[in-house]
Amino acid sequence: QITLKESGPTLVKPMETLTLTCNFSGFSLATGGVGVGWIRQSPGKALEWLALIYWDNDKRYSPSLKSRLTITKDTSKNQVVLTMTYMEPVDTGTYYCVRDSLASNWYYNWFDPWGQGTLVTVS
Amino acid sequence: EIELTQSPATLSLSPGETATLSCRASQSVGGYLAWYQQKPGQAPRLVIYDASKRATGVPPRFGGSGSGTDFTLTISYLEPEDFAVYYCQQRYDWPPITFGQGTRLEIK
């Protein structure tokens, strides 16, 4: 069974840096073609993709947030960490960790499954 | 950036009816489109990927179709647990990976 679980602060102040951790089980980031990513959802709003990291340490970021995001992995710990700098109230929302897999070519992977999400409030 | 437009915003139907949800892309995404289901207070769940393939555990009443710019999610014989928000997502040309704004499927 594949599970992912997000952890981190529930409240951050404006201008602070947010650090979120995703701990996962049931798969390995050492497996070719597999990635782990982050997606967020503002209250009552749609989904916004943030970042992805792959088995070979390739990293991809949302162009609109690239300057503020850093994604890293610790394969031995089954852990992925996302940092977002200069947090603002508009960054308030639920942050989801996802496995990126299912395709023979990683570029066309899909998000499955998702973690339960962690609510982050910026105030 | 590829924009995805979903319609309708809200769809009100009764259990047993058939739901037809639409997703239109601002440019071709080939067949690289997925649908996710999100129930209140829960994380999204992959329902359909590669436009028409059902994810593991998804019942056959869920069907996806389309290619290029126009896609449809069809849910036949609606069950009470199917009422949720559905999002489409493209994976053809990224970054960024983009989602539609969602269609709320509510009980009439």
Side-chain angles (χ1 to χ4, degrees):
Chain A
Q1 182 187 6
I2 295 172
T3 63
L4 306 100
K5 187 170 185 178
E6 308 86 351
S7 61
T10 58
L11 180 67
V12 297
K13 293 182 170 58
M15 300 302 290
E16 286 187 340
T17 294
L18 171 69
T19 300
L20 295 174
T21 300
C22 175
N23 289 287
F24 57 88
S25 63
F27 69 98
S28 172
L29 252 181
T31 302
V34 174
V36 171
W38 292 89
I39 295 163
R40 72 178 179 181
Q41 186 172 36
S42 300
K45 298 288 182 60
L47 302 161
E48 180 182 18
W49 170 71
L50 301 177
L52 279 162
I53 189 166
Y54 288 96
W55 80 101
D56 58 356
N57 211 36
D58 188 8
K59 302 170 187 179
R60 304 295 171 104
Y61 296 100
S62 168
S64 63
L65 293 167
K66 186 174 183 177
S67 63
R68 299 173 53 204
L69 296 173
T70 302
I71 191 169
T72 60
K73 66 179 177 74
D74 186 328
T75 304
S76 64
K77 292 183 178 179
N78 282 352
Q79 194 174 78
V80 169
V81 174
L82 180 77
T83 61
M84 181 180 289
T85 59
Y86 303 107
M87 293 291 286
E88 301 175 4
V90 295
D91 296 312
T92 293
T94 299
Y95 287 72
Y96 296 101
C97 175
V98 295
R99 186 187 70 152
D100 191 59
S101 186
L102 290 183
S104 55
N105 180 338
W106 64 269
Y107 188 81
Y108 300 113
N109 274 346
W110 302 106
F111 301 134
D112 181 54
W114 297 51
Q116 64 188 24
T118 186
L119 177 61
V120 178
T121 301
V122 184
S123 178
Chain B
E1 174 174 332
I2 296 177
E3 294 184 2
L4 299 177
T5 302
Q6 293 187 240
S7 61
T10 303
L11 183 59
S12 300
L13 293 171
S14 300
E17 292 189 300
T18 295
T20 302
L21 288 66
S22 175
C23 178
R24 176 164 290 180
S26 59
Q27 64 190 75
S28 177
V29 298
Y32 297 106
L33 190 107
W35 293 90
Y36 296 86
Q37 175 194 68
Q38 186 176 32
K39 297 179 181 179
Q42 296 185 17
R45 165 200 178 199
L46 179 68
V47 176
I48 297 287
Y49 65 99
D50 289 348
S52 61
K53 297 177 181 177
R54 280 192 304 275
T56 302
V58 174
R61 64 179 181 272
F62 287 83
S65 63
S67 65
T69 60
D70 291 298
F71 297 85
T72 300
L73 174 68
T74 302
I75 313 171
S76 305
Y77 305 106
L78 283 166
E79 298 282 351
E81 61 265 28
D82 298 335
F83 292 90
V85 179
Y86 290 84
Y87 295 95
C88 58
Q89 174 235 317
Q90 69 84 19
R91 194 65 185 250
Y92 179 71
D93 185 16
W94 66 282
I97 296 169
T98 51
F99 292 85
Q101 81 280 15
T103 288
R104 180 179 303 278
L105 177 59
E106 63 178 26
I107 299 178
K108 189 173 183 180

